Amino acid sequence: MRRLLLDTHVFLWWLADDRQLGAKARGLIANAQNQVFVSAATAWEISIKKSIGKLDAPDDLDAIVEEEGFDKLPISFFHGERAGDLPQHHHDPFDRMLIAQSQAEGLEIITADETIPRYAVKTINALT
């Protein structure tokens, strides 16, 4: 069993059945033996971008995460402190939170972001 954390774009690609999501990544997410997490940071990011017109995404992400059989990953105080202590390779606060959560919880991040692998975190290329 693998413990996977979906980057925000990967979660959206999954929901839209977007062809950008590679076959390997899609297979890992679909594998019922893997535990797949969606962070509260992802809901936060999507909600903000929807409210300012930068993103069209489904409503009621809470229910969608459950319907997909994914686990919700809350943001803890420890995650917040850890995100703030990360090196400044990445300036996106949402990605920094995902990195901190991945490190703290021992998760692999499925992402197409080329900066995230610069951190001490396991990544899976979402495009493969």
Side-chain angles (χ1 to χ4, degrees), residues 3-123:
R3 300 177 73 234
L4 310 170
L5 177 60
L6 304 184
D7 199 343
T8 302
H9 60 274
V10 173
F11 175 59
L12 292 171
W13 289 351
W14 173 265
L15 295 180
D17 198 24
D18 193 306
R19 293 188 319 189
Q20 290 182 85
L21 186 59
K24 177 184 173 190
R26 189 178 301 277
L28 287 169
I29 296 167
N31 185 336
Q33 295 194 357
N34 292 332
Q35 189 173 16
V36 180
F37 291 89
V38 178
S39 172
T42 291
W44 182 20
E45 179 177 14
I46 291 170
S47 296
I48 288 173
K49 289 182 178 177
K50 279 179 63 176
S51 73
I52 61 174
K54 284 187 136 185
L55 182 65
D56 183 29
D59 293 324
D60 202 5
L61 294 175
D62 190 8
I64 291 170
V65 169
E66 286 189 23
E67 289 168 10
E68 293 294 327
F70 300 152
D71 291 305
K72 298 173 201 161
L73 182 60
I75 297 172
S76 72
F77 202 87
F78 179 74
H79 294 148
E81 287 184 314
R82 190 157 189 152
D85 289 339
L86 290 170
Q88 293 297 319
H89 304 310
H90 212 308
H91 300 289
D92 181 313
F94 302 109
D95 286 336
R96 291 174 63 81
M97 179 55 69
L98 295 179
I99 293 161
Q101 288 182 303
S102 178
Q103 289 175 340
E105 306 302 328
L107 306 174
E108 298 175 81
I109 303 176
I110 301 181
T111 185
D113 187 309
E114 295 178 358
T115 304
I116 290 176
R118 294 180 64 191
Y119 291 91
V121 65
K122 291 182 182 181
T123 59

